């Protein structure tokens, strides 16, 4: 598969991204300080110096202000499959992505001491937990579509997507629980990486190295 070069975002797009990030940063700061349920969208808009309508233009639901990485997760997983090398399997591309996110200490990679505060807020809010589950389903659906379009050799792309996302989530959640219990990220890196590798080894055993 030939990799296409992405166009640089326009000035207008960069301004929109900056506004979105500012709103998200303000919301996250307020949620961390006072709790998700204690902060209103109107208050977030006031502190971010935008209107409530502007907030909802960027974030359809209040939960999306905190779980603002869901669209990024969808893009990362699908682009890894769509833009993989001509001799690279979908699972190999997703393995590379998972290890890269871990190496970058990316929020979607699951390992940074600061993330424990984020997870604790999610755990304490039924609304956030429900939205997080929906986010996982959105990633799974988008990945299945990407596999169906780019990997016709897979007999069941929806099964492959469901199992792959479930495996990644299981590794992520296991590490998150240990960090919530007080363990430090530095002590968990090697084990997390080993579980990721084992998960993708198992997936290749199920679907084949070419999947």
């Amino acid at each position: 598969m030939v990799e296409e070069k992405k166009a640089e975002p326009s000035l207008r797009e960069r301004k929109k991204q900056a506004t979105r990030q500012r709103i998200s940063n303000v919301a996250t700061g307020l949620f961390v300080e006072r709790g998700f349920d204690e902060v209103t969208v109107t208050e977030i808009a006031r502190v971010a110096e935008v209107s409530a309508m502007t907030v909802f233009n960027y974030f359809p639901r209040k939960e999306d202000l905190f779980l603002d990485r869901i669209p990024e997760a969808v893009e990362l997983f699908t682009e890894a499959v769509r833009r993989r090398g001509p001799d690279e399997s979908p699972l190999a591309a997703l393995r590379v992505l998972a290890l890269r996110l871990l190496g970058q200490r990316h929020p979607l990679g699951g390992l940074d001491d600061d993330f424990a505060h984020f997870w604790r807020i999610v755990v304490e809010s039924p609304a956030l937990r429900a939205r997080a589950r929906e986010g996982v389903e959105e990633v799974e659906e988008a990945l299945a579509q990407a596999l169906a379009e780019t990997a016709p050799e897979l007999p069941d792309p929806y099964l492959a997507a469901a199992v792959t996302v479930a495996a990644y989530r299981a590794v992520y959640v296991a590490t998150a629980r240990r960090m919530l219990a007080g363990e430090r990220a530095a002590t968990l890196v090697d084990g997390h990486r080993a579980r990721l590798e084992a998960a993708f080894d198992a997936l290749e055993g199920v679907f084949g190295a070419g999947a």
Side-chain angles (χ1 to χ4, degrees):
M1 188 162 299
V2 178
E3 184 172 333
E4 299 176 1
K5 185 177 180 181
K6 282 189 174 182
E8 290 294 324
S10 65
L11 176 61
R12 180 173 181 272
E13 186 61 30
R14 291 198 300 272
K15 287 182 177 179
K16 288 174 63 177
Q17 291 172 355
T19 299
R20 184 182 190 278
Q21 190 61 54
R22 184 175 76 255
I23 294 170
S24 175
N25 290 346
V26 166
T28 298
L30 291 171
F31 294 151
V32 168
E33 180 183 348
R34 290 168 38 208
F36 180 78
D37 294 330
E38 303 304 317
V39 179
T40 66
V41 171
T42 299
E43 183 178 6
I44 292 166
R46 177 176 56 77
V47 177
E49 299 182 331
V50 297
S51 68
M53 183 174 294
T54 297
V55 174
F56 283 119
N57 284 340
Y58 286 98
F59 302 94
R61 289 183 280 180
K62 179 184 173 184
E63 292 79 9
D64 294 331
L65 283 157
F66 195 66
L67 298 171
D68 62 325
R69 298 276 183 175
I70 292 174
E72 183 181 3
V74 169
E75 181 178 11
L76 285 171
F77 274 72
T78 56
E79 287 295 287
V81 169
R82 294 184 190 280
R83 299 168 68 84
R84 69 188 189 275
D87 299 320
E88 188 177 28
S89 72
L91 280 177
L94 290 167
R95 185 196 292 256
V96 169
L97 170 65
L99 294 174
R100 175 165 59 84
L101 293 174
L102 173 61
Q104 294 174 341
R105 298 296 187 269
H106 190 285
L108 296 172
L111 262 177
D112 190 289
D113 290 326
D114 290 338
F115 299 164
H117 302 295
F118 170 88
W119 294 323
R120 190 165 288 108
I121 292 172
V122 173
V123 168
E124 291 172 353
S125 169
L128 287 175
R129 293 201 306 272
R131 181 67 185 105
R133 287 192 292 270
E134 289 180 0
V136 171
E137 292 172 359
E138 289 171 24
V139 173
E140 182 182 312
E141 175 67 23
L143 179 59
Q145 292 180 13
L147 290 172
E149 293 167 10
T150 67
E153 70 278 7
L154 280 176
D156 192 337
Y158 284 85
L159 176 61
V163 175
T164 301
V165 172
Y168 187 84
R169 179 182 178 278
V171 175
Y172 188 106
V173 170
T175 296
R177 285 174 175 164
R178 293 179 66 175
M179 293 184 66
L180 282 170
E183 293 188 58
R184 306 290 291 182
T187 67
L188 299 174
V189 173
D190 291 342
H192 186 93
R193 183 182 296 106
R195 289 196 302 277
L196 277 178
E197 295 278 18
F200 279 100
D201 287 346
L203 290 169
E204 288 183 356
V206 173
F207 295 105

